[in-house]
Amino acid sequence: MATLEFSELIRDCTEGFTPVIDSEYKKKDYIHIDLSGKNKDLNKIEIPSAGEYKKYISDYVASKKRKIAYGGYNEKRNLYQRSVIFNDENTPSPRNIHIGLDLWCDAGTAVLAPLDGTVHSFQDNEGFGNYGPTIILEHIYAEKTFYTLYGHLSRKSIANLAFGQIVEAGDKIAVLGSSKVNGDYAPHLHFQIIEDLQGNSGDYPGVAAKEDLDFYLKNCPDPNLLLKIK
């Protein structure tokens, strides 16, 4: 199936706004946030500080009279300079372009399955700047198999999961983790759609280098095609 067709299939999976975090939040509660290198306000923040990022995001959301900030797909960020996992000396350029969608809200917020599926894999991707606890679901729609990834969860979220476990759209599958377990980020959900996992289990790159970007944007289309927040 061609990549364009996969993007269209993802769009067709849902008819309207589809929550992937606590359903008490409605579409009107969301506000887009720019966390790219173009945001000059971020230059004032000490990069390693999850607390400062949390305060910046919380203040921004409050100023817009909303409850949740979202964004980051195909966004080049300076944030990743702080972690060696994104700066491999053997690669031509650092990985600094985000290829999932981030939803910024409090630790403990429920994470929902947007579609029917099964648990493909899960693991704790430990380390500074990494996902922390992560779940990957497998979905089949119109005879096409694809995957969704949920990163920065709590450790309890993966404690009692089973491979192949059935989930239904709207089921609570996890809660968001704190900065102590989520790779030292302000609490948020990293949500990503993946056509080909390339043999990965419990993990998949969520940030790409510029020379690999074309592949990743095709393999991981914009999650908002599915969620329809905007």
Side-chain angles (χ1 to χ4, degrees):
M1 181 174 286
T3 301
L4 178 61
E5 292 177 352
F6 180 54
S7 295
E8 291 174 346
L9 179 145
I10 294 301
R11 183 184 291 112
D12 290 346
C13 283
T14 56
E15 295 183 357
F17 171 65
T18 302
V20 71
I21 56 174
D22 198 324
S23 59
E24 75 172 61
Y25 298 114
K26 307 306 179 185
K27 185 175 181 179
K28 65 180 181 180
D29 294 322
Y30 290 72
I31 183 70
H32 184 269
I33 191 169
D34 178 2
L35 296 179
S36 74
K38 297 178 181 178
N39 185 338
K40 295 180 180 179
D41 289 337
L42 296 181
N43 295 330
K44 305 172 186 176
I45 297 176
E46 187 179 356
I47 287 181
S49 175
E52 286 297 310
Y53 259 78
K54 183 177 188 302
K55 183 178 185 304
Y56 173 78
I57 294 167
S58 296
D59 289 349
Y60 176 82
V61 170
S63 73
K64 301 297 182 180
K65 295 181 171 57
R66 304 294 179 89
K67 297 179 180 178
I68 297 171
Y70 76 95
Y73 181 71
N74 194 19
E75 185 173 82
K76 185 176 180 180
R77 295 173 170 175
N78 295 331
L79 173 64
Y80 304 118
Q81 294 174 4
R82 67 185 190 146
S83 176
V84 295
I85 69 171
F86 301 110
N87 296 276
D88 187 339
E89 61 183 12
N90 297 318
T91 58
S93 62
R95 292 193 294 132
N96 58 9
I97 305 171
H98 191 255
I99 50 173
L101 186 75
D102 285 338
L103 298 105
W104 303 86
C105 47
D106 292 336
T109 300
V111 177
L112 311 178
L115 301 169
D116 295 345
T118 58
V119 174
H120 172 274
S121 51
F122 53 92
Q123 69 182 24
D124 191 349
N125 295 295
E126 297 182 276
F128 183 64
N130 213 334
Y131 282 134
T134 306
I135 296 172
I136 295 177
L137 299 184
E138 180 176 307
H139 310 277
I140 300 175
Y141 180 81
E143 300 183 352
K144 171 70 176 178
T145 300
F146 62 95
Y147 308 89
T148 53
L149 180 149
Y150 310 78
H152 309 300
L153 309 175
S154 72
R155 288 202 175 108
K156 287 184 178 180
S157 296
I158 62 173
N160 298 307
L161 283 183
F163 297 107
Q165 181 175 329
I166 296 172
V167 298
E168 296 183 353
D171 281 355
K172 177 181 174 181
I173 60 169
V175 300
L176 296 185
S178 71
S179 59
K180 293 180 180 179
V181 300
N182 76 355
D184 192 53
Y185 293 98
H188 71 288
L189 174 68
H190 173 97
F191 177 68
Q192 189 168 335
I193 297 169
I194 305 163
E195 182 174 20
D196 180 2
L197 276 175
Q198 301 177 276
N200 284 276
S201 178
D203 192 14
Y204 190 83
V207 182
K210 63 179 180 180
E211 60 266 24
D212 301 322
L213 186 60
D214 286 347
F215 167 78
Y216 281 111
L217 292 183
K218 291 175 182 177
N219 196 45
C220 303
D222 186 350
N224 201 50
L225 293 171
L226 179 71
L227 302 184
K228 298 175 174 62
I229 299 171
K230 61 180 179 181

